[in-house]
Amino acid sequence: MAEVRFQYSRQDLLKSLADRRGVNLSMLMRSLADSALAADGFPVAETQYALVVDGDVLMHGDHPVMSYRPTADDRGVWLPIENEDSIPFDPALHWRLKQLPLRVDGERVVRTYPVVAKSQEHA
């Protein structure tokens, strides 16, 4: 996977847009890049999968084994990852915190983002 770095004089606008959407700047940039690629007719994978073995997400060190284009794997089964907020998210009222560890829920894997009120103190 390639890493892209760039300097942009209007980064403040991008940061404001990311905050308004309730995502970090990296996630916003991926979303904008995917939208541009899709608009030009390039296939963009939207569903991420996690490799599940014996009811648990397979880990490689501290990181879960994930892919946007899984292939058959003798170690386990690929299940789609679905993102959820801990409570309904409103960017005007809430902060979305770092995701919790992935958990298997039936035939899917869930990535939960804790949501807290902007007035609530948190670390």
Side-chain angles (χ1 to χ4, degrees):
M1 180 178 298
E3 182 176 316
V4 178
R5 293 187 179 272
F6 68 97
Q7 293 292 322
Y8 183 62
S9 62
R10 301 309 311 210
Q11 187 171 352
D12 56 327
L13 294 177
L14 291 173
K15 181 65 176 137
S16 294
L17 179 59
D19 289 344
R20 189 170 352 154
R21 291 187 181 181
V23 298
N24 63 32
L25 191 53
S26 295
M27 190 176 292
L28 174 70
M29 296 308 297
R30 282 192 297 273
S31 173
L32 294 174
D34 285 349
S35 296
L37 289 168
D40 281 349
F42 290 94
V44 177
E46 295 180 4
T47 303
Q48 191 173 27
Y49 296 83
L51 186 57
V52 175
V53 178
D54 297 327
D56 292 314
V57 175
L58 182 64
M59 302 295 286
H60 180 76
D62 292 336
H63 305 285
V65 177
M66 300 183 297
S67 176
Y68 283 102
R69 291 185 174 80
T71 58
D73 195 308
D74 293 336
R75 296 174 292 177
V77 61
W78 291 99
L79 296 180
I81 298 174
E82 296 179 14
N83 297 322
E84 293 183 352
D85 290 321
S86 59
I87 60 171
F89 178 76
D90 180 344
L93 303 173
H94 300 110
W95 296 111
R96 189 177 274 136
L97 303 180
K98 182 179 176 183
Q99 70 189 35
L100 299 174
L102 296 176
R103 65 179 169 82
V104 178
D105 180 27
E107 294 298 311
R108 68 184 187 142
V109 174
V110 179
R111 178 186 290 130
T112 303
Y113 290 90
V115 174
V116 297
K118 286 187 174 181
S119 62
Q120 183 178 336
E121 293 294 324
H122 61 277

